[in-house]
Amino acid sequence: MKKRLIVHFFLLLIVFLFSPSFAAAEKYIVIDPGHGGRFTGTSGYSGDQTGFYEKVGTLEIGIKLKEKLQGTDIKVFMTRQTDRDFAKDSKEDLIERTKIANNYVKGNNDNSLFISIHHNAYPFSTLVKGYETYYYSKGAAWDEEYPPDPIQVNFESESRRLASIVHPLVLSGTGLHDKGIQNDQAFFVIRNAQMPSVLVEIGYMSNPSEESLIKTSHFQNDAAESLAQAAINFFKVFEVFDNKGNEIKQFTSRDEAITFAKTLKNVTVFDKDKQKTIYDSTKVNYEVFMKGKDEVISFTELSDAIAYASDRKNTKVIAKEKGTVEWSNYLQRPYQIQNKDGVSKGNYYEKSQAIEVAKSMKNVNVISRSSSDVLWTNISGETITKSLEVEALSGRDRFETAVKISKEIYPNGFNADKELKTVVLTNGLGYADALSVGPLAAQLGNAPILLTRPSSLDSFSEKEIKRLKADKVLLIGGENAVSTTVENQVKKLGVTVERIGGIDRFETNLMINSRLDQVEGVFVANGFSYADALASSPIASSSNWSIVLSDKKKLTNAALSYVKGKNTAILGGEAVMSSNIEEQLKNLNGSKTVERLSGKDRYETLASILDEFSDEIKSDTVLLSIGQDFPDALVSSALAVKTDAPLVLVHKELNANVQDVLFEYGMQNRVTSFFTIGGKVEEKPKNQVANRLY
């Protein structure tokens, strides 16, 4: 039956709307063999006598098309695979047929296509012949009584593209006469399919010679082959989307798509054939860091990041997600792959990179270039000569964590012959009074620092004082910080109790410093922000430096009196320690005695401190803690003194400048122990630090 006449009997079908998405991981095709069951389609020239109606030919081609696509990565659905209809009424039949098709692709519309297969007929002449491809165009075939599905309207350009791919392939495959691509017919199935869609009229069954051809298996096979290739080709495009999922432009060339995308911001390139995003500037994949500069340049592609970095001095490229160094023109490559004869097979920035490559080779070692230790091997008989012992010192809270550190330093308590059996006890809920106590704890026989609540002695600390067999507890802070209740509870343990506490944090700080026997230099830090003072505490504790606290604007007369004649290092930029403080110190002791160690944040200030004192940090150990809270870092200084180890502070990832310091540290020290302090250190920075230490 002629489809151009049937169209006027169709009813409006309103379906729900949803946005096309390119996020699905599959390509779909819905094959629709036209007609079926009681709806035979055209009888053609001889169908009434032979029983070969349109529904027979379309199903033969549809089944063959499905078979040809089975070896591809396109998932195939069919509206029918037998001679069936979907409803008693022709209008309802088309409605149900389209519902089935749309349900197959629900949620994956943008990665789907619909091909409705038909044969044509012309009742007024047996001479008309040829092939036509139809797609729906709202502008060319709008009918208020039968409006299209809005989703199909949005797919008009893709339906037109599908038609432009299908049409020449079917022509060349079947040899039929070209009757063109048409968009002036509002056929129900392509008007309401919620995906890119075409309806193909493969020959005229009202033409005797073409009907004979349509009946042959050879012709059906050729038509199916052409449609299969068209479906495959349809997906071979690269789509550029904005960050809201709107398509900006489409390309057939991968390189052209990416080149175009790089001229825009916040876009993605989607390989429709491979069903994956191949470029994403909405996400930073690589960052270029320049040594000594705060500027960080972000890139999506590694090649772009390296190209940018290679034109500049002292740069490195870091993979954002893993935090690994991918390229540098100033860092050494600490790890090497060697064959069994000791011949180098490549140098790498990261141990993990070297091992990953080595796994694809035979009979090789991964070695540390600085120590020649074997870190990984697949050579028979070869042994690994160095490993990194990673230990977490973490309790259920900050109070127990402090005890864990104390037990690591003194696993059996204080030795009976230890001259000073002192414990430092400070407020675990406020940092003000204890920021500078590390150097004093070090001079008191490396006294462990324990924490307490201000109103009552913490039970973990109480037990630890007993276990250590301490004979003295030094309370840090006034009675508001550590109450008399705590003091009395400690006295009941049978130990001597002494308090160091002034009217405020600054007086307490100077009282602490007055107890120090040897002072070779002074760190000057902001007393209202814990980060910089804590970063310096392990170094101060092991290097006979003290820590002076100040407000942002100026040093008090008492503080100036203390630092007179001493070398000083100001910690932090002018946002935390003003230029006026620097001038005070220079006027007091001379410009050559004053240095500022700073960065754009607490982690870069830490990098400056570690770099400046790198010659004094020689150890087989590294300590790691978070920089976003004070207690774990506060109590780590005693362990740093015992191990001569640096304390590295991190947040969600290792700071790029601290990473540089660890590059040098790992090359100069044979590190075998790695402690994480507290339970909040995330896996990424922990792995980043560990990767530097093998």
Side-chain angles (χ1 to χ4, degrees):
M1 184 175 181
K2 199 75 181 74
K3 274 68 64 185
R4 298 175 191 175
L5 300 176
I6 291 175
V7 70
H8 297 294
F9 295 99
F10 300 155
L11 292 178
L12 168 65
L13 172 64
I14 301 297
V15 295
F16 59 88
L17 302 180
F18 49 88
S19 299
S21 167
F22 59 90
E26 289 187 284
K27 298 177 288 187
Y28 294 168
I29 182 173
V30 180
I31 302 169
D32 175 43
H35 307 282
R38 74 191 69 198
F39 307 110
T40 62
T42 183
S43 59
Y45 184 76
S46 65
D48 288 339
Q49 292 79 39
T50 64
F52 190 94
Y53 298 102
E54 180 181 359
K55 67 176 183 177
V56 178
T58 59
L59 183 58
E60 289 293 334
I61 294 175
I63 291 174
K64 287 180 171 60
L65 172 56
K66 179 184 179 181
E67 292 171 351
K68 292 181 181 300
L69 290 173
Q70 282 178 343
T72 71
D73 57 356
I74 300 174
K75 190 171 184 178
V76 179
F77 301 95
M78 295 187 71
T79 56
R80 69 181 182 97
Q81 299 188 65
T82 60
D83 182 19
R84 59 158 295 188
D85 49 46
F86 302 91
K88 294 180 180 180
D89 180 87
S90 62
K91 298 172 294 184
E92 293 299 323
D93 183 84
L94 290 169
I95 290 172
E96 291 304 314
R97 179 189 296 265
T98 309
K99 278 184 180 179
I100 290 171
N102 290 339
N103 283 335
Y104 282 140
V105 305
K106 187 176 181 180
N108 194 35
N109 308 60
D110 195 45
N111 294 305
S112 304
L113 62 91
F114 176 89
I115 297 179
S116 188
I117 303 169
H118 293 258
H119 300 300
N120 218 331
Y122 189 66
F124 307 111
S125 173
T126 59
L127 299 178
V128 178
K129 62 180 181 178
Y131 165 67
E132 299 160 318
T133 304
Y134 289 88
Y135 71 93
Y136 178 75
S137 171
K138 179 180 176 182
W142 171 257
D143 188 330
E144 289 186 3
E145 188 176 357
Y146 303 107
D149 187 296
I151 294 178
Q152 179 55 228
V153 173
N154 290 334
F155 278 126
E156 180 179 341
S157 63
E158 283 295 270
S159 293
R160 180 171 60 247
R161 183 173 72 85
L162 177 58
S164 71
I165 295 171
V166 167
H167 194 76
L169 285 170
V170 173
L171 284 175
S172 63
T174 62
L176 293 174
H177 171 66
D178 185 1
K179 288 182 65 66
I181 298 174
Q182 312 290 338
N183 65 353
D184 58 349
Q185 296 295 317
F187 297 128
F188 187 91
V189 289
I190 59 171
R191 187 175 80 244
N192 289 286
Q194 296 173 339
M195 67 202 94
S197 307
V198 294
L199 185 148
V200 292
E201 296 275 16
I202 309 178
Y204 277 71
M205 289 182 64
S206 54
N207 181 297
S209 61
E210 226 159 63
E211 182 191 51
S212 297
L213 188 63
I214 289 168
K215 292 179 179 180
T216 66
S217 177
H218 178 74
F219 177 86
Q220 295 162 3
N221 189 72
D222 289 344
E225 181 66 41
S226 301
L227 292 173
Q229 190 59 54
I232 293 168
N233 291 352
F234 173 77
F235 289 104
K236 292 184 179 298
V237 291
F238 303 89
E239 300 167 316
V240 181
F241 291 90
D242 65 19
N243 59 358
K244 294 181 179 179
N246 300 312
E247 185 175 313
I248 300 171
K249 200 169 182 179
Q250 195 177 90
F251 296 85
T252 56
S253 164
R254 181 184 192 278
D255 292 342
E256 288 179 4
I258 292 176
T259 299
F260 172 77
K262 287 179 179 179
T263 66
L264 307 174
K265 294 181 179 180
N266 295 321
V267 298
T268 57
V269 178
F270 184 66
D271 182 337
K272 203 175 185 76
D273 185 40
K274 303 299 183 184
Q275 290 287 290
K276 67 179 182 179
T277 299
I278 59 173
Y279 176 88
D280 185 355
S281 63
T282 66
K283 186 169 106 176
V284 174
N285 293 326
Y286 301 94
E287 293 180 324
V288 175
F289 292 84
M290 286 162 275
K291 190 174 184 180
K293 295 184 179 181
D294 293 340
E295 183 181 19
V296 178
I297 309 299
S298 300
F299 293 89
T300 296
E301 298 293 312
L302 177 60
S303 58
D304 294 337
I306 293 175
Y308 178 88
S310 61
D311 288 337
R312 292 157 178 82
K313 295 180 179 179
N314 296 324
T315 56
K316 64 179 177 181
V317 177
I318 294 180
K320 179 67 175 174
E321 185 175 343
K322 296 185 293 184
T324 53
V325 177
E326 301 296 319
W327 182 92
S328 178
N329 56 16
Y330 72 95
L331 291 174
Q332 297 185 62
R333 299 175 188 250
Y335 307 105
Q336 185 176 87
I337 299 175
Q338 289 184 354
N339 67 14
K340 60 183 179 180
D341 297 322
V343 177
S344 173
K345 295 298 181 179
N347 299 320
Y348 298 86
Y349 296 106
E350 308 281 349
K351 172 176 170 276
S352 57
Q353 293 168 345
I355 291 176
E356 184 178 355
V357 175
K359 285 179 178 178
S360 65
M361 301 179 179
K362 294 181 179 180
N363 297 320
V364 293
N365 291 327
V366 173
I367 69 162
S368 166
R369 296 178 65 198
S370 59
S371 66
S372 297
D373 280 301
V374 177
L375 309 178
W376 181 93
T377 184
N378 60 10
I379 300 175
S380 178
E382 188 69 80
T383 59
I384 293 173
T385 62
K386 180 193 170 187
S387 60
L388 183 66
E389 182 180 349
V390 181
E391 184 175 353
L393 298 177
S394 175
R396 70 192 72 178
D397 58 24
R398 61 188 63 190
F399 304 100
E400 188 179 15
T401 295
V403 170
K404 295 268 189 179
I405 294 172
S406 176
K407 289 181 177 179
E408 180 66 29
I409 302 170
Y410 300 106
N412 301 312
F414 292 141
N415 291 333
D417 59 352
K418 190 177 190 304
E419 182 179 354
L420 297 174
K421 302 174 184 177
T422 301
V423 170
V424 173
L425 185 65
T426 189
N427 187 338
L429 302 180
Y431 61 82
D433 294 312
L435 284 179
S436 59
V437 78
L440 177 58
Q443 290 194 17
L444 293 173
N446 199 25
I449 301 173
L450 301 180
L451 304 176
T452 185
R453 291 171 174 81
S455 58
S456 63
L457 179 61
D458 178 75
S459 60
F460 287 115
S461 296
E462 179 181 351
K463 292 176 183 177
E464 183 62 8
I465 293 170
K466 293 177 181 178
R467 188 194 69 84
L468 287 166
K469 297 180 180 178
D471 56 22
K472 182 176 181 179
V473 173
L474 184 63
L475 302 181
I476 303 299
E479 293 180 0
N480 288 332
V482 181
S483 69
T484 55
T485 300
V486 173
E487 184 175 353
N488 291 331
Q489 287 177 306
V490 175
K491 287 179 179 178
K492 289 181 180 179
L493 300 178
V495 299
T496 301
V497 178
E498 182 182 358
R499 183 188 294 272
I500 299 178
I503 60 173
D504 59 20
R505 68 190 68 194
F506 302 109
E507 185 176 8
T508 299
N509 167 237
L510 291 176
M511 292 173 69
I512 290 170
N513 288 338
S514 68
R515 300 281 297 271
L516 297 174
D517 295 330
Q518 302 175 37
V519 177
E520 296 180 7
V522 180
F523 291 112
V524 182
N526 191 316
F528 293 105
S529 176
Y530 59 82
D532 295 337
L534 288 184
S536 68
S537 184
I539 292 175
S541 301
S542 58
S543 303
N544 292 321
W545 277 54
S546 63
I547 302 169
V548 164
L549 304 179
S550 172
D551 64 17
K552 173 184 175 180
K553 296 180 180 179
K554 65 178 182 178
L555 288 163
T556 64
N557 290 333
L560 287 170
S561 176
Y562 175 77
V563 300
K564 186 174 182 179
K566 298 181 178 73
N567 291 321
T568 54
I570 302 169
L571 303 183
E574 293 185 6
V576 292
M577 297 294 282
S578 70
S579 59
N580 182 58
I581 289 178
E582 191 169 344
E583 288 302 313
Q584 282 183 292
L585 292 171
K586 288 180 178 179
N587 291 335
L588 182 69
N589 293 326
S591 298
K592 292 183 179 180
T593 66
V594 181
E595 184 177 10
R596 185 183 288 271
L597 303 176
S598 65
K600 68 178 182 180
D601 58 26
R602 63 189 62 186
Y603 303 103
E604 294 200 358
T605 296
L606 168 67
S608 296
I609 296 169
L610 294 175
D611 185 55
E612 179 67 22
F613 287 85
S614 60
D615 291 341
E616 299 182 33
I617 307 173
K618 302 292 183 183
S619 177
D620 62 0
T621 303
V622 166
L623 311 180
L624 179 65
S625 187
I626 62 167
Q628 300 304 110
D629 203 357
F630 72 91
D632 295 337
L634 174 66
V635 297
S636 299
S637 61
L639 183 57
V641 170
K642 178 187 178 182
T643 58
D644 291 323
L647 173 64
V648 177
L649 301 178
V650 295
H651 186 28
K652 293 184 177 180
E653 60 186 357
L654 180 65
N655 174 270
N657 289 324
V658 177
Q659 187 181 56
D660 285 358
V661 174
L662 288 176
F663 255 100
E664 294 299 320
Y665 187 83
M667 294 286 282
Q668 296 173 7
N669 297 272
R670 190 175 185 271
V671 180
T672 56
S673 296
F674 176 35
F675 291 95
T676 60
I677 313 298
K680 298 179 181 178
V681 180
E682 296 186 17
E683 284 301 309
K684 179 179 178 179
K686 185 166 73 173
N687 291 336
Q688 286 179 289
V689 174
N691 222 3
R692 300 271 61 79
L693 304 179
Y694 280 92

